Structure formats: structure tokens, C-alpha cells
Amino acid sequence: MKGAYSFFESASKAIRQNPTLSKLLVLTTVSSGGALAYADYNPFQGLITVSSGNNEGPKKKVVVLGTGWASTSFLKNLKSSSYDVQIVSPRNYFAFTPLLPSVTNGTVEARSIVEPIRNIVRKKRYNVDFKEAECYRIDPVNKKVFCRSIRPGNSGGPEEFTVDYDVLVMGMGAKVNTFNTPGVEEHAHFLKEVDDAQKLRRSIIDCYERANIPTVSEEERKRMMHFVVVGGGPTGVEYAAELHDLAFDDLSKLYPAVKDYLKITLLEAGDHILNMFDKRITEYAIEKFQRDGIDVKTGSMVTKLSDKDILTKDRKSGETISIPYGLVLWSTGVATRPVVRDFMNQIGQANRRVLATDEWLRVEGCNDVYALGDCATINQRKVMEDIASIFSKADKDNTGTLDLKEFKQVVSHICERYPQVELYLEKKKLKSFDTLLKNAQEDDKKQIDIETFKKALSEVDSQMKSLPATAQVAAQQGEYLAKCFNRMEQCEKNPEGPLRFRGEGRHRFHPFRYKHFGQFAPLGGEKTALQRPGDRVSIGTDIQWLWYSVYASKLVSWRTRMLVVSDWGRRFIFGRDSSKI
Amino acid sequence: MKGAYSFFESASKAIRQNPTLSKLLVLTTVSSGGALAYADYNPFQGLITVSSGNNEGPKKKVVVLGTGWASTSFLKNLKSSSYDVQIVSPRNYFAFTPLLPSVTNGTVEARSIVEPIRNIVRKKRYNVDFKEAECYRIDPVNKKVFCRSIRPGNSGGPEEFTVDYDVLVMGMGAKVNTFNTPGVEEHAHFLKEVDDAQKLRRSIIDCYERANIPTVSEEERKRMMHFVVVGGGPTGVEYAAELHDLAFDDLSKLYPAVKDYLKITLLEAGDHILNMFDKRITEYAIEKFQRDGIDVKTGSMVTKLSDKDILTKDRKSGETISIPYGLVLWSTGVATRPVVRDFMNQIGQANRRVLATDEWLRVEGCNDVYALGDCATINQRKVMEDIASIFSKADKDNTGTLDLKEFKQVVSHICERYPQVELYLEKKKLKSFDTLLKNAQEDDKKQIDIETFKKALSEVDSQMKSLPATAQVAAQQGEYLAKCFNRMEQCEKNPEGPLRFRGEGRHRFHPFRYKHFGQFAPLGGEKTALQRPGDRVSIGTDIQWLWYSVYASKLVSWRTRMLVVSDWGRRFIFGRDSSKI
């Protein structure tokens, strides 16, 4: 007995503590082929050093708000040991949100897509501590954030405390946008948090079970089995598709008495579903949904939600109809959180819809505060606003005209500082800035005056685009900011950014530039659409497999990666579970 | 693209529908060795025929209440096609409750230990339908059960309906026994349902996160990190042990600032923990808990629970103390549910503590109602009550004395009808009934009169034992009853049970006899104790592995079996998760 125990204990210890042994070869052979995951996992290397901020040496106190895509990506990429990091978030884990629709349908387990934030930061070189609390006020003057614990403390009420910062990183995301539609908060389901997905899942099974009760009237049964998705964006469309698959692949076999009552409706206020995607994808999706029997209604605005009926107004005819429903998923984009709104009022951004940062993710109107992810947008500088400064900066010899040599020296700085210039060139199919200037010149002079310069650039600002509120953007911003923080001292001394056109010298860092890798739109039935940059569109089952592999590779840890892959295997073999837990 | 889709679709279809292909070889290689699961899973063979009871032919309407161990075991083993089965339960799944303590600590995923009841019965030959509802009244006179849906229906209130039965099978289990201790319902955690386990899990992480908030006082932090388990039965002990493992193996590394505040206390009102186990196991457990720092207090009765303090009274000294706590798990046995209590009042069992059945699991005092599992106990017949009938039945020639030949003819019937006889013989180390009679005889007569007979049997009733409220008992009862139902017609014609001593002829069936295979007591740290019949005791890590394999083999479906085994693999590799979901 002793022998067996010793073996187990040492094996277990060895695997958990030895970095070499812990390179586990986890081979999961599922019937359809194999998925090989080489797990270089070493959870116990290094120890957390928790500090309350009073370390020796002049470490900067960085407070990070939130544990979503932006904050987690920042924390993962922060490598410098010269920071004391305090994380404040009501959620003690990071959730891989693109898989939330899969969680609602039991394709993926909730636990498989989350990773405790403490696990993510424990191997880091910086000092770090996490507080499970909500930030309810930011004081940018005294550099403090006010927090309250999400559970009652000593007094019975929430525990309140403040945290000082030298640098604040806001990554608390956004709330669901209800457009103040009455009844939505009370009656609709959302799909932003892991909790939401689990609730949604239980509610679907609930509707099936309730419809199966013998005394329920026909009409009521129809109502209960009517599932409505509001919002034709990628989340809404994916959810409608996944719901259809769940219902037809799995539930119809378990609930034969009620399966014919099922109806899925997708409501979209605009003219198209998936309107940020190429027309080909939209058309394919609509056609597929028609075949599947999912009712897509575009131009249909929801005006009210009662506990059993959804009131919609047709945007063209103005006609109002009331549709009985069993479950509504509300998925219509994001809005600013109250704490961010309050902060905006304090720093003079009261009139803006969303918190604005500059291209270096610094919040406009205050110092040492960065904002990334869904809680902010980048307020791009217009070329036309700065046109005089740009010209005079370029015109080194102050002649009032630019010659080619002078121009060559600033062109790369202009392109970097104002990304819309390149987008404009691309759109107009012009090879370079030179061509743009040449086209603006009436004769073939070598010198360019300010009027010509203005004329040439007059339309470039039309190409300014704000970034979508996606995980991809947030993750890139987090990584960008962490890399800036890692090289802060170095870049203070040797700035590497573009010329400051309105000031002196150069910017410390290159500005943030989003690199779009494409976007998936899962359409159900093992089919997914993908739009890559340059309007390249692919749809089909091979894209579904690409989706599987991209998502598997993007998952935050080897643990979640293995769990999700094995969840997919489970679903493939056993179907989806319908227990109401 | 089409090709890839077709391949996937056909492979998927083939695997899901073809019984031969679906014998999947699922090979999971984990670092420590391998676990081979040969999954003969075929979920789509046969279809459910849902019937509302108006089938052609004289099918008996069987209503089954509950989806726990007893009911599910009954439904799994029922093979005859001559029944219309209606299942009514507030839970649409079966839960493998012995693994609930593992769910609380994230060792096993909640979804892995549940199986939808519709999946369990869909391959059966009998007609079956499931209603997700609670039975709130049984009317044994009109043979009806009154049910209400657990969610609101048309009117906003719960949907109410009745179901008629020819035969009723009660397997609705029991509720937690709070002994009417004030505050327990409101403040304590339980561990009877999957929900309970999930709540408990979140609450533990909650306590850690709250203790980590900076403004919390030392005293308060100590309180929050004090976890109390009330009840030293196998569930309480296992939970305390698992909690210790979770805290020391995993959480201490993530919460270094609060880990030293952790305290686990186990309170038991009796003199010993694990009192149904052998003394050696109890001692081993106490010693191990001492080493682990788990505080075991026996003879300590809980008298009141407030939101922060637990009031205990020492049974010997009468001293009352108040202990601040962060979380209490209440695990002190079971009590009768209100619906069963109401039913007992109707059928003249008002004075009993628990619903009584005879040895054939038929509820005493009404017809065609069976009760099994935790909601009932078997009211064993005493030999001394029937002694005259037994004697006169044996005394075929009515001489007032028994000769050896007469006696031989009834002895096996007596032993079968009154199992206490055999237990008594075993205890007294007597070879057979004959010896018992011989010892009672004063001289060596061949004839036995009634007085000698009475004297011989006067003490056998002391060996009557009521069965424990365990999954093992419930499952065996369910299987027993199903087998009776399967052979109902056959046994009506050719009864196979023992002689009816008080009536004419024979009983239709052999009475239910519980076969004890032993009981596990997991003690944490990969150590488990096992007590097998005959007081054979084993403790250690090899027993933990036996525990793994027994539980894996007992799981209700290949799906749950594979999931649980892979959960164990995951935990072994990655440790337990601490995200609060």
C-alpha cells in the first residue's frame, strides 16, 4: 500500500513541479482522426510575490481595471519587473468570449473557456495582486480608484476601499446596449458573460420542459417554443445557428412531442444581417437560414418587451406587431458603463458618446490614464486639422514651399501619424504620396506650396475608420500597451515614434495600429464564413475546421486549449447534453 | 469544400447512427499511464414512443415519481413492454450523487455526473413520457397524483395537472434533516443536489476573494476563512477532506496572502465520526485529520446558526460556545418530504417517522403503491408476531407438535421471509436452524412443541436492521422492483416467493434482500478507506484507485463514464480550477 502511494505521490509531484516532465504529450484519439496537443504546461514555476505597493525602489504602481480581453492581453504581455500591478475586477477569471455561444448549447463546457487571472499572472516578473471588486469611481486628480467588493463584508454592506495609482489602465469593457427599450433589462437574455451563457442554456431546456406539460394550451406551447434573437450581428447570427443545431441534432430526439412547435426568429433593425461582412456572406447566411427554417426579419425595430410578447415596428411601413415569445436573446452592441460615463464627465468628455483616447491609447483630457478594449475608442487626429503644422514642420528652411528633399524626410512620419493617408492611397489605387501630390499640382513644378498640399490631402480624412468592438482589437491593444510599458525607460531616452507635428521632437512610441486578420461568422451545420482583409470571402465546412483550429490556438492557456478540444471531441461523440444544470 | 463537408457529414452520421461503428475506441493517454475506455455507446437506436396512456391493449399505467437512484435504477431495469410509464420529477436528469463532493472542488465537472433521464429511457421497450414537475399530493383512493410544473405557465403561476396511475412507484427521495435548528435553512449549504455542489464551490472561492479585500479586518478575515462541516458521516468527512486538498494543493498557491487564515472544523454531535464504519477507519481518519490540521469536535451539537456565527453546545459539559464562520456545510442525514408526510397521514401511517413498506417494497396501508430509496424504509415483520401462524403452518397434520420432516419443509421459507433468523444464526455462530431448536430443547425429543419453538426464536428479532439511506440500497431496490415488474404475469401464475404464513399459498416474488458490497470513505490526499462485509477494512492509495474504478464502472452511461475519467485526467494534469463560475 505504501509502495503504491509513494509511486503515485512522486509521480504526481514530479509532473506538477518538474518543468521537463511537465511537457506532457496529451494524445486524444477521437474516431474522426486525431488531435495532438503538445502541452508545455508548468503551473508551479516561480511564485507570486504579492505586494501592497510599498516595495523598496521606485516601482510604478499600475492599476489595471478589468479582466477581459484588453486587460488580460496587457497582463500577459507585460514583462518588465519595474511595476507593481494591482488588478481590480468583479470577475476573478478571464473568459474566452468568442466561445460563449458554444457554451449556451453545451458544445463547450463553461469551465473550459475560463482561466483564473491569478493563474495567468503568477509566472510574471512584476509584482501583482488581484482584488475581486468593482471600481465605481475614478479620481484622476488624486490618482485614486474607488472600489467596492462584490460581496458583503464586515458591516453587511459591500466592503469599500481605494487604490492609488501612478498609471491607470482601464479595460473594463462595456455594457449591453438596450437603447433604453422598455422591458429589455427585465426580460431579455444577454450573451456577454459566462453566467449569461449558462442562464440561457437552462432557459432553453426550461422552455422545452414547460411546453411538454400536458395542461399547457396549444397557443401557449407555441409561445414557449418561439425563440427570438434580436440583433443580426455575428453573435446573434451565430447564436441563432447554434440554437438551430442544438434543437434539430439533439433536442428533437428527446422531445418528440413538442419539437414541431419550435420556431426561431432573428430580428434586425437594419437592412441586412451581418452588415459588417461582405454581401456574399450575408446572402449565403440568409439563404441557409431560409433552408433551416429560421425566420429572418430585417428592418424590424424592437420597441418594447413584456414578459411574454415582443413589440416590433417595421421601419418602412411603420406597422407595429406584437409577437409572443418564449425566450429573447438581446445582442445589439455595446454602450458605455456608468463608471466610465462619470469619469468622462470629470475630464471634459461629457459630450462624447464613448471615452476617447489618442493613438497611443492615452485618455484625452487627463494624465497617466490608458483605456483599451470596448470601454474606449481611438480619436484619430484629422490631417486637415494639423495641415498647417505638418507643412511648416516639413518646410525646414521656411521658404513657404516644399521641395522634394524636404518632403521625402517627413512622408513616412505623416503616413505613420495619420493612417488614413495610406488607406486613401490604397482606395484611390495610387502608388505613393508623390503621385497624390503630383495629381494635385496644376503644372509640373518641383516646389509645392501649402494650397497644393491642402488640396492633395483634402479628402484623406474621409478614410478614418473607428475600430470595431471586438476581442481581436482589445487583445492587440493590450499587447501593444504592454510592449510600450516594457520599453518605457528605453523609449523615454530614445523616442522611436513619428515626428511631433504640433510640438517638438518625436513621439516616444509608434502609435497603435490595428492589424485585421479577418473575421469568422459561424453559421451552424458545421459551416462557417470567413472574411479576410482585401474582401476575400470563404464559406464552408473547411472554414469551420479552420475556426476550430484558430480558436484552439488562441485560447489563453494550454489548460483551456486542451479542455476545449476535448469538449469538441465529447460533443462529436456524444452529442450535446440536455440536463438542466 | 463540398467534399469535405460530405465527408464530415457522413462520418458524423455513420458514427451517431450505426451501432457497429459507434463502438468507439477512446484512448486517453495521460502521463501516468493510460486509461482505456471501450465505449459501446449507441444513443440513437430505437425511438421514444410517447403515449398519453390511451394505447390499444390493456397496458398498465405506471407512474414513477423522482429521477434519483431508486427511480432511475427501476427505469433502467424495466424491460417489459406491457407498461405505459409516466415519469414525474422536478429534475430532468439523473445525478451520480456520490461524486457531488468532487464537483464542489472542481475535481469533476457537474455535467459529467448527470445524464438526462430522457436519454436513459429512450432505448426502452415500454412507452414512456417525462414531465418536469413536482408531485405535491398523492390520492391513493382515486389513484391520482397531483403535479405542478416547477416554472410558471399560462397564468403566471405554476401549471397544475393530475396523472392517473394503475401502479405508483415512489422514488422521490428525502429532504435534508435540519432537526429544526434555527437558521440552518437560511444560512447553511447542503450537498444533496448538483445545484448545491455548484453553489458550495462558488462560495468557497467567494470566501477567499472576500478575505483578500484590503479593508477587511483581521478578525473578519479569520471568520471568512473558517469553513465548518456539520455532520461526521461519510459525506461530511469526504467534503472536509476534499476541501483540505483543494485549499492546500491549489488555492494556497493562488491566494498566498490569505492562505494562513484557513481553518476547517468538523462538528459531530455523536461520540465518533464515521460511526457506521469500523473503529479502525474512524481512528485512521481522526489521525489523518489531525495531521492535516482539520479540527474534529465530537459531542458537539449545533443549536443555532446566524449569518456569521454557529452556536454549539457540548453534550457532556452543556457548555455553549459561538464560533464565527465563513461557510457551513450541513450534512446530517435525511428527513421525510412534506408530500410523503401528507401521504402517510392519508394511509394511516401518521405516527411513523418514515414511510413504511413491506419486504416487497409495497407501501403498507394502500394498494398498488411501491416506495423505494430514501423516501421509505422496509418495515420488517417480526418473527414473534407471527410465531403462532408459522407454527401452525408448519404443523401440517395439526398434531400440535412439529416433527423433523414437517420442519424441514418450512425452514427455508422461514429463513427467506424473516432474514433476521439467518443474521441471528450467524451472530451466534450456529450452523443451522436445527441447532437453534436443539439448543432450546430440554431433552432430546424428536417432536417440538410451540413453547420450545417460541423459546428458540425469542431473540432472533433483535437482529432486525433497517437499511441505510444510501445510493447502493436505492439502486438495488429499483433493480429488484423492475425485475418483479418484468415477470409480473409469469409470477402471478407461478408464484416463486416463500409460503404465506398468515394467508394461503405463496408470495408472488422473493422478498427484497439487500446485498452489501462495502462502503467507501474517501479521506483526502488520495487516500480512501473501504469497509467490506465481514468487517474487512482497507485504507490507502490503492483503495483510492479502487474507488476511481468502482465509481467509473458504476456511472450510468458510457458518456458520463468517459467524461468523469477525463475529468480526473484533467485534474491530475492541470490541478483544480478556481474561477468563480
Side-chain angles (χ1 to χ4, degrees):
Chain A
M1 204 183 301
K2 183 83 185 91
Y5 172 67
S6 301
F7 162 75
F8 179 82
E9 198 179 44
S10 13
S12 173
K13 261 197 192 151
I15 281 176
R16 287 163 149 258
Q17 292 172 353
N18 190 310
T20 317
L21 262 176
S22 79
K23 299 200 173 179
L24 299 167
L25 191 66
V26 182
L27 182 70
T28 315
T29 309
V30 288
S31 54
S32 69
L36 189 73
Y38 182 71
D40 182 359
Y41 185 82
N42 179 20
F44 300 100
Q45 196 177 40
L47 285 163
I48 303 180
T49 320
V50 174
S51 128
S52 47
N54 48 9
N55 251 43
E56 68 280 1
K59 292 205 175 190
K60 268 200 178 172
K61 280 181 276 180
V62 177
V63 172
V64 178
L65 302 179
T67 47
W69 278 96
S71 305
T72 305
S73 165
F74 172 77
L75 292 164
K76 276 192 76 155
N77 287 288
L78 190 63
K79 299 224 155 51
S80 165
S81 60
S82 57
Y83 298 102
D84 259 340
V85 179
Q86 285 275 349
I87 311 165
V88 177
S89 171
R91 230 174 48 186
N92 79 354
Y93 54 87
F94 164 76
F96 192 83
T97 46
L99 288 178
L100 280 182
S102 301
V103 171
T104 60
N105 293 340
T107 311
V108 169
E109 200 52 51
R111 196 169 311 287
S112 306
I113 65 161
V114 303
E115 183 71 29
I117 196 74
R118 294 169 191 274
N119 257 344
I120 293 174
V121 297
R122 70 201 301 245
K123 296 176 229 168
K124 299 298 173 194
R125 287 196 292 162
Y126 50 86
N127 292 339
V128 63
D129 193 20
F130 171 83
K131 303 278 176 247
E132 193 193 55
E134 187 188 21
C135 164
Y136 66 93
R137 205 162 81 81
I138 298 166
D139 177 352
V141 179
N142 301 305
K143 292 194 161 186
K144 263 182 206 306
V145 291
F146 291 76
C147 308
R148 65 180 154 230
S149 69
I150 57 167
R151 298 283 161 163
N154 309 6
S155 57
E159 205 60 48
E160 305 205 340
F161 60 97
T162 60
V163 184
D164 295 338
Y165 66 80
D166 294 323
V167 181
L168 180 64
V169 177
M170 295 170 67
M172 65 255 279
K175 62 171 192 168
V176 170
N177 196 350
T178 64
F179 300 102
N180 293 321
T181 312
V184 173
E185 294 272 10
E186 298 90 319
H187 305 298
H189 281 266
F190 303 105
L191 199 44
K192 274 195 78 68
E193 303 284 343
V194 175
D195 277 3
D196 295 340
Q198 288 174 313
K199 254 187 251 163
L200 197 51
R201 191 176 185 294
R202 273 191 289 267
S203 300
I204 293 286
I205 306 291
D206 232 29
C207 287
Y208 269 88
E209 290 292 359
R210 283 155 70 191
N212 202 44
I213 297 290
T215 50
V216 166
S217 66
E218 281 294 283
E219 199 188 338
E220 192 65 6
R221 192 162 287 143
K222 253 187 212 164
R223 177 182 78 73
M224 282 167 180
M225 294 293 289
H226 184 207
F227 302 129
V228 181
V229 177
V230 180
T235 310
V237 167
E238 181 178 355
Y239 183 69
E242 284 249 16
L243 181 59
H244 172 268
D245 288 356
L246 170 71
F248 282 82
D249 292 355
D250 299 273
L251 297 183
S252 65
K253 282 154 195 139
L254 295 182
Y255 298 85
V258 299
K259 69 168 205 265
D260 295 333
Y261 292 89
L262 175 73
K263 195 181 162 196
I264 302 173
T265 303
L266 180 65
L267 298 177
E268 163 62 42
D271 293 335
H272 303 288
I273 61 169
L274 297 175
N275 63 15
M276 69 289 287
F277 282 91
D278 192 272
K279 216 175 63 184
R280 284 165 290 176
I281 292 180
T282 309
E283 276 166 13
Y284 181 90
I286 288 189
E287 199 185 300
K288 179 169 184 308
F289 278 14
Q290 252 165 9
R291 254 193 339 263
D292 288 350
I294 299 174
D295 197 7
V296 179
K297 283 189 184 153
T298 52
S300 181
M301 270 179 58
V302 176
T303 53
K304 200 186 154 188
L305 208 64
S306 78
D307 59 339
K308 289 182 184 169
D309 296 291
I310 181 166
L311 221 72
T312 65
K313 189 176 165 184
D314 192 281
R315 285 213 313 174
K316 274 181 203 148
S317 66
E319 193 189 1
T320 296
I321 51 168
S322 167
I323 320 169
Y325 74 88
L327 180 141
V328 162
L329 172 72
W330 191 270
S331 156
T332 58
V334 294
T336 302
R337 285 188 191 278
V339 52
V340 179
R341 170 62 52 202
D342 168 73
F343 176 62
M344 287 164 71
N345 293 341
Q346 289 183 64
I347 58 171
Q349 291 201 17
N351 294 325
R352 293 193 55 97
R353 214 172 48 82
V354 188
L355 182 68
T357 69
D358 63 15
E359 288 88 341
W360 289 267
L361 308 182
R362 293 176 299 200
V363 171
E364 295 188 341
C366 67
N367 292 324
D368 300 318
V369 181
Y370 295 82
L372 37 167
D374 290 1
C375 75
T377 51
I378 295 173
N379 188 17
Q380 262 177 45
R381 194 86 74 91
K382 285 190 182 145
V383 172
M384 292 315 283
E385 279 176 8
D386 293 351
I387 193 87
S389 317
I390 299 170
F391 191 85
S392 72
K393 182 71 83 177
D395 183 20
K396 273 192 179 166
D397 50 8
N398 280 319
T399 54
T401 53
L402 293 183
D403 58 25
L404 202 66
K405 198 184 132 214
E406 281 176 328
F407 177 71
K408 288 266 188 217
Q409 281 176 342
V410 295
V411 63
S412 67
H413 294 276
I414 296 177
C415 287
E416 184 172 9
R417 181 70 187 82
Y418 306 96
Q420 59 265 47
V421 175
E422 277 191 348
L423 290 174
Y424 184 76
L425 295 176
E426 211 172 277
K427 196 194 160 198
K428 292 283 173 190
K429 300 201 167 61
L430 298 172
K431 264 184 216 156
S432 71
F433 210 143
D434 298 14
T435 335
L436 183 68
L437 288 174
K438 276 203 187 106
N439 290 353
Q441 275 175 317
E442 276 149 28
D443 42 20
D444 211 25
K445 283 187 291 187
K446 287 279 178 228
Q447 301 285 323
I448 304 151
D449 60 15
I450 180 134
E451 288 312 313
T452 316
F453 197 65
K454 269 192 191 166
K455 192 175 152 205
L457 293 167
S458 61
E459 277 173 31
V460 295
D461 287 335
S462 66
Q463 290 307 306
M464 289 192 342
K465 273 182 193 162
S466 60
L467 298 175
T470 62
Q472 211 176 142
V473 171
Q476 287 185 27
Q477 290 182 336
E479 186 179 347
Y480 165 80
L481 193 65
K483 287 183 174 162
C484 292
F485 274 49
N486 291 340
R487 311 195 307 125
M488 190 68 85
E489 280 175 53
Q490 190 180 332
C491 291
E492 299 266 4
K493 285 176 206 145
N494 306 305
E496 60 181 22
L499 276 177
R500 291 179 197 268
F501 289 109
R502 299 186 126 182
E504 287 309 305
R506 302 176 65 155
H507 290 278
R508 283 180 304 178
F509 303 108
H510 296 292
F512 171 71
R513 192 69 72 86
Y514 172 59
K515 190 159 164 36
H516 185 64
F517 291 107
Q519 194 173 4
F520 286 107
L523 302 172
E526 296 293 332
K527 288 199 187 304
T528 289
L530 168 64
Q531 179 164 358
R532 272 171 289 193
D535 289 333
R536 282 173 297 159
V537 165
S538 337
I539 305 171
T541 309
D542 47 352
I543 303 298
Q544 175 79 12
W545 287 101
L546 183 65
W547 182 91
Y548 282 137
S549 49
V550 168
Y551 278 16
S553 72
K554 290 276 174 203
L555 281 160
V556 73
S557 69
W558 275 107
R559 192 186 69 86
T560 53
R561 225 162 282 169
M562 194 190 108
L563 298 193
V564 166
V565 169
S566 86
D567 284 345
W568 284 331
R570 289 171 173 196
R571 201 231 77 193
F572 185 73
I573 302 169
F574 299 116
R576 301 171 186 88
D577 176 49
S578 70
S579 309
K580 204 168 72 188
I581 58 162
Chain B
M1 204 182 301
K2 183 80 185 95
Y5 172 66
S6 301
F7 162 74
F8 179 83
E9 198 177 45
S10 13
S12 172
K13 262 197 193 152
I15 281 176
R16 286 163 149 257
Q17 292 173 355
N18 190 310
T20 317
L21 263 175
S22 78
K23 298 200 174 180
L24 301 166
L25 191 67
V26 181
L27 182 70
T28 314
T29 309
V30 288
S31 55
S32 69
L36 188 72
Y38 182 72
D40 181 359
Y41 186 78
N42 179 18
F44 299 99
Q45 197 176 39
L47 285 163
I48 304 181
T49 319
V50 175
S51 128
S52 47
N54 48 9
N55 252 42
E56 67 281 0
K59 294 205 174 189
K60 268 199 178 170
K61 279 181 278 180
V62 177
V63 172
V64 178
L65 302 178
T67 47
W69 278 96
S71 304
T72 304
S73 165
F74 172 77
L75 291 164
K76 276 192 77 155
N77 287 288
L78 190 62
K79 299 223 155 52
S80 164
S81 60
S82 56
Y83 298 102
D84 260 341
V85 178
Q86 286 274 350
I87 312 165
V88 177
S89 171
R91 230 174 49 185
N92 79 354
Y93 54 86
F94 163 77
F96 192 84
T97 46
L99 288 179
L100 279 182
S102 302
V103 172
T104 60
N105 292 341
T107 311
V108 169
E109 200 52 51
R111 197 170 310 288
S112 305
I113 66 160
V114 303
E115 183 70 30
I117 195 74
R118 294 169 191 274
N119 256 345
I120 293 173
V121 297
R122 69 202 302 247
K123 296 176 228 168
K124 298 300 173 191
R125 286 196 292 162
Y126 50 85
N127 292 338
V128 63
D129 193 20
F130 172 82
K131 303 276 175 248
E132 194 193 55
E134 187 188 21
C135 165
Y136 66 93
R137 204 162 80 81
I138 298 167
D139 178 352
V141 179
N142 300 306
K143 294 193 159 185
K144 264 182 206 308
V145 291
F146 291 76
C147 308
R148 64 179 155 231
S149 68
I150 56 167
R151 297 283 161 162
N154 309 6
S155 57
E159 205 60 47
E160 304 205 341
F161 59 97
T162 61
V163 184
D164 295 338
Y165 67 81
D166 294 322
V167 180
L168 180 65
V169 177
M170 295 170 66
M172 65 256 279
K175 61 170 191 168
V176 170
N177 195 352
T178 64
F179 300 102
N180 294 320
T181 312
V184 173
E185 295 272 9
E186 298 89 318
H187 305 298
H189 281 266
F190 304 105
L191 199 45
K192 274 196 76 70
E193 304 284 342
V194 176
D195 277 4
D196 296 340
Q198 288 174 312
K199 255 187 251 162
L200 197 51
R201 189 176 187 295
R202 272 192 290 266
S203 300
I204 294 286
I205 306 292
D206 232 29
C207 288
Y208 269 88
E209 290 292 359
R210 283 155 69 189
N212 202 45
I213 296 290
T215 50
V216 166
S217 66
E218 280 293 284
E219 199 189 337
E220 192 64 8
R221 191 163 287 145
K222 254 188 212 162
R223 178 183 77 73
M224 282 168 181
M225 294 294 288
H226 184 207
F227 303 129
V228 181
V229 177
V230 181
T235 309
V237 167
E238 181 178 354
Y239 183 69
E242 284 249 16
L243 181 59
H244 172 268
D245 288 358
L246 170 70
F248 283 82
D249 291 357
D250 299 272
L251 297 182
S252 64
K253 282 154 195 138
L254 294 183
Y255 298 85
V258 299
K259 70 168 204 264
D260 295 332
Y261 292 88
L262 175 73
K263 194 181 163 198
I264 302 174
T265 303
L266 179 65
L267 299 177
E268 163 62 42
D271 293 335
H272 303 287
I273 61 168
L274 296 176
N275 63 13
M276 70 290 286
F277 282 90
D278 191 272
K279 216 174 63 184
R280 284 165 288 176
I281 292 180
T282 308
E283 276 165 11
Y284 181 91
I286 288 188
E287 199 186 298
K288 179 170 184 308
F289 278 13
Q290 252 165 8
R291 255 194 338 264
D292 288 349
I294 299 174
D295 196 7
V296 178
K297 284 190 183 152
T298 53
S300 181
M301 270 178 56
V302 176
T303 53
K304 200 186 153 187
L305 207 65
S306 78
D307 59 338
K308 289 181 184 169
D309 296 291
I310 181 165
L311 220 72
T312 65
K313 189 176 166 183
D314 193 282
R315 285 212 314 173
K316 274 180 202 148
S317 67
E319 192 190 2
T320 296
I321 51 168
S322 168
I323 319 169
Y325 74 88
L327 179 140
V328 162
L329 172 71
W330 191 270
S331 155
T332 59
V334 295
T336 303
R337 283 188 193 277
V339 51
V340 178
R341 171 61 53 203
D342 169 74
F343 176 61
M344 287 164 71
N345 292 342
Q346 290 183 62
I347 58 170
Q349 292 201 17
N351 295 325
R352 292 192 57 96
R353 215 173 47 82
V354 188
L355 181 67
T357 69
D358 64 15
E359 288 88 340
W360 290 268
L361 309 181
R362 293 176 299 198
V363 172
E364 294 188 342
C366 67
N367 292 323
D368 300 318
V369 182
Y370 296 82
L372 39 167
D374 290 1
C375 74
T377 51
I378 296 173
N379 187 17
Q380 262 177 44
R381 194 86 73 91
K382 286 188 183 149
V383 171
M384 291 316 283
E385 279 176 7
D386 293 351
I387 193 88
S389 315
I390 298 170
F391 191 84
S392 74
K393 181 70 83 177
D395 182 20
K396 271 192 179 166
D397 50 8
N398 279 321
T399 53
T401 53
L402 292 184
D403 59 25
L404 202 65
K405 199 184 131 213
E406 281 176 328
F407 177 70
K408 289 266 189 219
Q409 282 176 341
V410 294
V411 64
S412 68
H413 293 276
I414 296 176
C415 288
E416 185 172 9
R417 182 69 186 83
Y418 305 97
Q420 59 265 48
V421 175
E422 277 192 347
L423 289 175
Y424 184 76
L425 295 177
E426 211 171 277
K427 194 194 162 198
K428 292 283 171 188
K429 299 202 167 62
L430 298 174
K431 265 187 215 153
S432 70
F433 209 143
D434 297 14
T435 337
L436 184 69
L437 287 175
K438 274 202 189 105
N439 292 353
Q441 275 175 319
E442 277 149 26
D443 44 18
D444 211 25
K445 283 187 294 187
K446 286 279 180 233
Q447 300 286 324
I448 305 150
D449 59 14
I450 181 133
E451 290 312 314
T452 317
F453 197 67
K454 270 190 190 166
K455 192 176 153 203
L457 292 167
S458 61
E459 278 174 29
V460 294
D461 287 335
S462 65
Q463 290 306 306
M464 290 191 344
K465 273 182 191 160
S466 60
L467 298 175
T470 63
Q472 209 176 144
V473 171
Q476 287 185 25
Q477 290 182 337
E479 185 179 348
Y480 165 80
L481 193 64
K483 285 184 176 164
C484 292
F485 274 49
N486 291 339
R487 309 195 309 124
M488 190 66 86
E489 278 175 53
Q490 191 181 332
C491 290
E492 298 266 2
K493 284 177 207 144
N494 306 306
E496 59 181 23
L499 276 177
R500 291 180 196 268
F501 290 109
R502 299 187 125 181
E504 288 309 308
R506 303 177 64 156
H507 289 280
R508 283 180 303 179
F509 303 108
H510 296 292
F512 171 71
R513 193 69 72 86
Y514 172 57
K515 190 159 165 35
H516 186 63
F517 291 107
Q519 195 173 3
F520 286 107
L523 302 172
E526 296 292 332
K527 288 200 188 301
T528 289
L530 168 64
Q531 179 163 1
R532 274 172 287 193
D535 288 334
R536 281 174 297 158
V537 165
S538 337
I539 305 172
T541 309
D542 48 351
I543 303 298
Q544 175 79 11
W545 286 100
L546 183 66
W547 183 91
Y548 282 137
S549 50
V550 168
Y551 277 16
S553 73
K554 291 276 174 202
L555 280 160
V556 73
S557 69
W558 275 107
R559 191 186 68 87
T560 52
R561 226 162 282 169
M562 194 190 108
L563 298 192
V564 167
V565 169
S566 85
D567 284 345
W568 284 332
R570 289 171 173 197
R571 200 230 80 193
F572 185 72
I573 303 170
F574 298 116
R576 301 170 186 90
D577 175 52
S578 70
S579 310
K580 204 167 72 188
I581 59 161

